[in-house]
Structures are given as structure tokens and as C-alpha cells.
Amino acid sequence: MKLASLRCERRDGCLVVVSRDLKRAVDASHLAGNLLDALERWDAVAPGLERLYTALNGGGVAEAFDFDPGACAAPLPRSFQWCDASAFLNHGRLMERAFNTAPIPNFDTIPVMYQGASDDFLGPHDDVPLPSESLGIDFEGEFGVIVDRVAMGTQAPQALDRVRLLVQINDWSLRALGPREMASGFGFLQAKPSTSFAPVAITPDELGDGWRDGRVHLDLHVAWNEALFGQPNGGEMNFSFGELIAHAARTRSLGAGAIVGSGTVSNADRAAGSACIAERRVIEVIDHGAPRTGFMRFGDRVRMEARTRAGEAPFGAIEQCVVQAAGEQA
Amino acid sequence: MKLASLRCERRDGCLVVVSRDLKRAVDASHLAGNLLDALERWDAVAPGLERLYTALNGGGVAEAFDFDPGACAAPLPRSFQWCDASAFLNHGRLMERAFNTAPIPNFDTIPVMYQGASDDFLGPHDDVPLPSESLGIDFEGEFGVIVDRVAMGTQAPQALDRVRLLVQINDWSLRALGPREMASGFGFLQAKPSTSFAPVAITPDELGDGWRDGRVHLDLHVAWNEALFGQPNGGEMNFSFGELIAHAARTRSLGAGAIVGSGTVSNADRAAGSACIAERRVIEVIDHGAPRTGFMRFGDRVRMEARTRAGEAPFGAIEQCVVQAAGEQA
């Protein structure tokens, strides 16, 4: 099943069911007020959504209309929780060199994860307003899961059972601000502006064996200004999503609709390229003694699309442009 | 004006207006579905709430009933954003010694702030379930503000104008987990279980000159198992709430209902005592070479109440008991 939130008069968007091929959609507002509402009543709401999805794929829904990713907000335009890990060891080790920070203790045995802002997510085609090019504007291609309620102390296998939807994420980062916030010990805050999401959230069964071991085994194709930048595979996560959810839930429960991210997808095989600029820059430092690639400029575009072996893009694509933020508008 | 959210069949509680003396309350559900909804439509909703408040204080509301703090959820049982600073330099410097961490760069000129979990706040009398006494269970008495929407790049004076409500907070902390999460650079996650709030959120005018310079100039009385532990004053914040809000909004906008906290209230004058155990322990280390005070045990109670010079408690009191969390309940 594939779900999206179209922009409408409601702050949290209007829920639609989207066909498997992302060509058609149908309003699902009669089943749930929005996607967050659907997640909070999942057992009651999901069967109706599934029936609508089956009918839509069969061409049997009179009210269906053409699906426009450009009309989408993030699947959850906002949520009550967003936690993002750094579960690809290759990325983490390179970033330690990029930021010139001390090795994170137990990085390979205990997940690292930061609490992100969840009140203002961006849609797949939204412009990305940022205050200055000097902040080191970078994209980060990731996968994520949206969970049902998770009780405190839930272990990884049971935590994985709480996954309801999978998402594809662009976790925007401001690299000039990251090292200072890491050095403070309080973690990322200004270094993480609003996070963006691909058009549709999908149930795990949509990926077939592309979803296994609690990981998304798809290549994440990333293009910067139309040039391929990387296509690392999500299967190389050092921790499964079950382990990441359990980590987040160790000392508190997670509400329905909480989103847990993988961190930047990254492969040890350099031929895969990178899903963020900072990683390429540190590889350049290793190879050449200095970075050769700059960060993003206003007007730059990034495109991210996870692909199956058959070349399908189950989440649709993120296609965004970085722009100068307007001045203060309280 | 004073507002609270009573537990009811709705996840986000039922909004009530509470009398100035915290003795009486009246349902305000006809004005807003819940407090978050009220904040999102503040200009439209606030005048009606104010009229109800005036009538309630005058004794002229037939539907009024006795206010029971024990029936309260947090004023916002959940919100889309919670950012907590460490704005009392005295506390920050002592905690560096407690955690044996390097001095935070620019600690006195740039606020430090972590993104907190906002999906599962606790009410003023809720038990606090935690997995183990070995985690170093500690309370942290704080003040906080709830803001209207704040645009990216808003400066401190204008940011202060976006404050709609003041709150009193117990930011529970697990000290055994803090240093590792700080060392990771990703900040607090497991070290910060669900945060608790005093019964009522109040408009700044309720404090008279107790709210000035963007600070809450009240003593925060903290008692651990009925013994006074500290009564530091909130006026000693190194940064105003305007500066803290502006810090959070530097690279992104904040949605209505975002909560920004002061960090543990702490005074340079030792006679004020402390609002968290970790701070007392590090003072003991300084004075005696080792801590003498342990952290909380299951069954321990904490009480926090900000008081005016006249001895009034404008937010009501937080009165909580720490308990062993039940096992996994997915």
C-alpha cells in the first residue's frame, strides 16, 4: 500500500491512497483525517485503506485522479517525533575524519542517534529555504520507518514488528554548524534544518525481498544538478531498523507516527559514490589532501530516488532546489 | 490567564481555563479542541479564553468546577517540538565537572540547546516509569515558554514577542547515559526520558514583574522526599528566552506550540541549593573529593513549585514518584 498527503486547507494535508505505479490516487479522507490519525488508529483504518488500494490498482475506482508528486506535502507533514541514526559505519567513520572529531565510543556496537525537529517537514518538490550559502549546505539521502506506538523497553525483534510504513528521506544538513554542535555534546540543532521526504510512504510488503533483515535493500540514486552523485545500497546498515527503534525506546515509549531514520546511506565500495557531499569531500581529502567539491549554492538542485533491480522507484523521487530564505517574517 | 489540559477520552486532553488561585476550572472545549489547537489559532481563540478567565475569577461561571491538579495531563500532553537549553552558566560549568567533559566552546556567548522528545509528556502528578535505578535517575527543575509560529531568522526581541505561555518543567535525566551520548556528539536521547510539566500554563502577564527581560524571576522550590533540596531563582539565566527562541529558529521555522526550556535553574549563590542532584553531587566532589548524595530510587518523590515573593505558586506544583517501568508491552 502507498500513501501520500496532498497539500490542502488542512495543516496536516489530505490523505490519499496512491497506485503502485504512482500514476493514480484517490482521496481517503473518509477513512482518516490525515496520515498521523491513520497511524494512531492503524488496526481500524488500515483494512479500509488496503481495500481502496486494491481497487485503485485494479482500475476500479471512479473517483481516482492523476497523482501529482508536486502537489504533495511530506507523507507526515509533521510528527511528534523524529529520531535519526547514523547506522552506516562507512559514513560514520568518514564523517569523523571530515569533522576531525574523536572516534565515537562503541560506534559499531551501540547506535548513535540524534533527536530531530519534526514540526515542519518539507514535501518532495518543495524549495529548501536556508539563510546563507556559507553554512555548508548539504543533502543526506536516507531511508526511514514510521512506527506504531512502541512501549519502553521493547526489544529489536518486537520493535521491527511495529514498523508500519517505510519512507525515503533527504536529511538536510549545514556542515559549517555541525562540528560546534557536536563539540557541545548537546547534538545537532541549527545544523539540521527541516527534513524532506519522498512523495509516498509505503507498507514494507511493497518492497518484496527488498525489505529484509530490517533493512531497505535498494540503491538510492542521488543526482546533484542532474549529475549522478552516488547510488549506495541501503542493505549495508550496521544496525537494523529494529535495533534502531529499540535504541530509541530504551528509556521511553514512542508514540504512533514516530519516524526513525537510517542516517546517510553509504557503502564501503567507493564505486557506489556518496549520498551526501561531506562524504565525497573527505574522500577527496584522503586522496588528494584537500576537498575539491564545494557545498551547495542557491539555485542548486538535488534529486533522490531509490530504485529496485527492475528500475522502479517505489517511493517516487525527491526533487528540490535550495533557495535563499526570506528575511524575518514573524 | 491560566490553562490546563484535563485527561479525557481525547489523546491531547480537554482544555480548561483555571482560576488565578488554581481553585476552580471551566471547560473550554467549545473554544478549541485542545491547547495545541488553541495555540495554532491563538489570535482567534485567546480573546474568548480571556473572557472566560475573567468571568471565572469573578465567580460568575455556573459551569465551573473544582480544579484537580491530579486530573491534569501536561498542559501540552504532546507537541511537535521541544528544545531545551542550558542557559544557567553556573549549572553548565558544574556539569562539565560532573561529567568530566571538555569545556563547551563559546558557552557564555552562544546558547547550547538539545532537541528533546515531545511525543509523550507526563502530567504533574504522573508516576515516572524508568527501567532501572542504575541509570542515575535525576530531576531537573526548569522554566519554559510555549511559542506561536516563529519564522526562520527571527531575532531575539521579536522572538520574545512570540511567547504565548510560560510553563514549569521537570526535565527528567538519566545521568549514567548522559556522558556517552555527549561524547558521541549526537546529544541526549536515551538520557532524556519523558519530560513533565506543572499543571497550568500561564500567560506572561500573570507574573507581573516576575516576567521581565525574557526571564522568569521566581524561586523554584524543589523538594526530594519532602526535604528542601534547593530554591534557585530563574532570573539568573545567562540568555533570555528571546535569545533561546532565536537560536532555535536560526535555520528553520518553529511551529505554533513549540516549547523552549531554560535548562536547570541554578544560581551562583550556593545558599540557593540545586534544582538537580547532579549539581549537588559535583559540589560535594569539589568540597569533599567525592559525591555523598546518591541518585533517586524507585519510590522516591520530587516536588517542584515556583513561588512568588508573596508565596503564591502560579504554575501549581509538580509532585511525582519514580517507579519501576513495567516490562515490554508492545
Side-chain angles (χ1 to χ4, degrees):
Chain A
M1 174 161 65
K2 302 195 175 192
L3 302 169
S5 297
L6 296 184
R7 293 188 190 294
C8 64
E9 73 287 355
R10 296 184 224 153
R11 173 64 182 81
D12 294 293
C14 286
L15 180 64
V16 294
V17 173
V18 183
S19 64
R20 180 162 290 131
D21 62 7
L22 303 186
K23 290 204 161 69
R24 303 282 282 171
V26 60
D27 182 74
S29 298
H30 58 294
L31 295 172
N34 54 57
L35 181 54
L36 194 55
D37 175 42
L39 285 157
E40 290 177 340
R41 301 184 294 119
W42 190 252
D43 291 345
V45 172
L49 294 172
E50 287 282 5
R51 281 193 293 275
L52 201 52
Y53 183 61
T54 302
L56 182 67
N57 285 324
V61 177
E63 303 79 10
F65 52 87
D66 288 348
F67 177 62
D68 175 10
C72 286
L76 286 176
R78 55 184 179 171
S79 182
F80 291 100
Q81 182 154 214
W82 153 235
C83 294
D84 197 15
S86 179
F88 290 85
L89 289 192
N90 188 61
H91 174 74
R93 293 301 182 206
L94 288 171
M95 290 306 292
E96 286 171 2
R97 298 178 70 157
F99 280 172
N100 194 27
T101 47
I104 294 173
N106 310 112
F107 187 64
D108 53 346
T109 54
I110 304 176
V112 291
M113 184 178 283
Y114 75 90
Q115 191 87 38
S118 55
D119 69 328
D120 187 36
F121 293 137
L122 297 178
H125 290 201
D126 286 348
D127 282 346
V128 182
L130 292 169
S132 168
E133 291 179 339
S134 69
L135 297 179
I137 301 168
D138 199 357
F139 45 81
E140 286 195 356
E142 309 192 356
F143 295 107
V145 297
I146 306 178
V147 297
D148 206 332
R149 187 173 188 286
V150 180
M152 186 192 305
T154 300
Q155 300 297 305
Q158 291 73 34
L160 196 59
D161 290 340
R162 307 302 288 169
V163 171
R164 295 290 168 261
L165 296 168
L166 309 180
V167 289
Q168 181 195 310
I169 297 170
N170 184 1
D171 181 47
W172 288 98
S173 293
L174 299 172
R175 301 302 187 187
L177 301 173
R180 198 193 67 81
E181 294 191 325
M182 291 189 81
S184 80
F186 278 53
F188 305 118
L189 193 117
Q190 294 181 338
K192 295 290 183 181
S194 294
T195 302
S196 305
F197 289 79
V200 296
I202 68 177
T203 47
D205 60 291
E206 287 292 331
L207 296 187
D209 74 350
W211 170 252
R212 62 180 190 275
D213 308 324
R215 292 162 173 85
V216 177
H217 293 261
L218 300 184
D219 291 342
L220 184 57
H221 286 247
V222 178
W224 178 10
N225 290 336
E226 283 73 52
L228 179 66
F229 195 79
Q231 44 190 324
N233 189 282
E236 212 169 296
M237 275 170 83
N238 188 56
F239 300 99
S240 71
F241 276 110
E243 291 171 299
L244 298 183
I245 299 162
H247 181 84
R250 180 178 173 201
T251 59
R252 64 195 194 209
S253 63
L254 312 181
I259 307 169
V260 177
S262 66
T264 307
V265 177
S266 178
N267 293 166
D269 178 2
R270 277 205 196 172
S274 294
C276 74
I277 300 171
E279 196 178 294
R280 174 182 283 189
R281 283 167 56 91
V282 72
I283 290 171
E284 291 169 345
V285 171
I286 293 167
D287 290 351
H288 310 294
R292 297 179 170 188
T293 306
F295 289 108
M296 294 184 87
R297 310 295 297 267
F298 293 137
D300 278 6
R301 304 187 59 81
V302 66
R303 186 175 196 282
M304 296 182 174
E305 184 181 81
R307 292 187 194 156
T308 65
R309 286 187 297 270
E312 290 168 340
F315 299 94
I318 292 172
E319 297 191 62
Q320 297 189 283
C321 182
V322 175
V323 301
Q324 168 91 60
E328 174 185 336
Q329 330 156 301
Chain B
M1 173 162 63
K2 303 195 175 192
L3 302 169
S5 296
L6 296 185
R7 293 189 189 292
C8 64
E9 71 289 355
R10 297 183 224 154
R11 173 65 182 81
D12 294 294
C14 285
L15 180 64
V16 296
V17 173
V18 183
S19 64
R20 180 163 289 130
D21 61 8
L22 303 187
K23 291 206 161 71
R24 302 281 283 171
V26 60
D27 182 74
S29 299
H30 59 293
L31 295 172
N34 53 58
L35 182 54
L36 193 55
D37 174 43
L39 286 156
E40 290 177 340
R41 302 184 293 119
W42 189 254
D43 290 345
V45 173
L49 293 171
E50 287 282 5
R51 280 192 295 274
L52 201 51
Y53 183 62
T54 302
L56 181 67
N57 285 324
V61 178
E63 304 78 10
F65 52 88
D66 287 347
F67 177 62
D68 175 12
C72 284
L76 287 176
R78 53 184 181 172
S79 182
F80 290 101
Q81 183 155 212
W82 153 234
C83 295
D84 197 16
S86 179
F88 290 84
L89 290 192
N90 188 62
H91 174 72
R93 292 301 182 207
L94 287 172
M95 289 306 293
E96 286 171 1
R97 297 178 71 157
F99 281 171
N100 195 26
T101 48
I104 295 174
N106 309 114
F107 187 66
D108 54 345
T109 54
I110 305 176
V112 291
M113 185 178 284
Y114 75 91
Q115 191 86 39
S118 54
D119 68 329
D120 187 37
F121 292 137
L122 298 179
H125 289 201
D126 285 348
D127 281 347
V128 182
L130 291 169
S132 167
E133 290 178 341
S134 69
L135 297 178
I137 302 168
D138 199 356
F139 45 81
E140 285 195 357
E142 309 192 354
F143 295 107
V145 297
I146 305 177
V147 298
D148 206 332
R149 187 173 188 286
V150 180
M152 186 192 304
T154 299
Q155 300 297 306
Q158 291 74 34
L160 196 59
D161 289 340
R162 307 302 288 169
V163 171
R164 294 291 168 263
L165 296 167
L166 309 180
V167 288
Q168 182 196 309
I169 297 170
N170 183 1
D171 181 47
W172 288 99
S173 293
L174 299 173
R175 302 301 185 186
L177 300 174
R180 200 194 66 82
E181 293 191 326
M182 292 189 81
S184 80
F186 278 53
F188 305 118
L189 193 115
Q190 294 181 338
K192 294 290 184 181
S194 295
T195 302
S196 306
F197 289 79
V200 297
I202 69 176
T203 47
D205 60 291
E206 288 292 331
L207 296 187
D209 74 350
W211 171 250
R212 62 180 189 275
D213 309 323
R215 293 163 172 84
V216 177
H217 294 259
L218 300 185
D219 291 341
L220 183 57
H221 287 246
V222 178
W224 179 10
N225 291 336
E226 283 73 53
L228 180 67
F229 194 79
Q231 44 191 325
N233 190 282
E236 210 168 298
M237 273 170 83
N238 189 54
F239 301 99
S240 71
F241 277 109
E243 291 171 298
L244 297 183
I245 299 163
H247 181 84
R250 181 179 172 201
T251 60
R252 64 194 195 212
S253 63
L254 312 182
I259 307 168
V260 177
S262 66
T264 307
V265 177
S266 178
N267 293 167
D269 178 2
R270 277 205 196 173
S274 295
C276 72
I277 300 170
E279 196 177 296
R280 174 181 283 189
R281 282 168 56 91
V282 72
I283 292 171
E284 290 169 344
V285 170
I286 293 166
D287 289 352
H288 310 294
R292 298 181 169 187
T293 307
F295 289 108
M296 293 183 88
R297 310 296 298 266
F298 293 136
D300 278 6
R301 304 187 60 81
V302 66
R303 187 175 195 282
M304 296 181 174
E305 185 181 80
R307 294 188 192 155
T308 65
R309 284 187 297 271
E312 290 167 342
F315 299 94
I318 292 172
E319 298 190 62
Q320 297 189 283
C321 182
V322 175
V323 301
Q324 167 92 59
E328 174 186 336
Q329 332 156 299

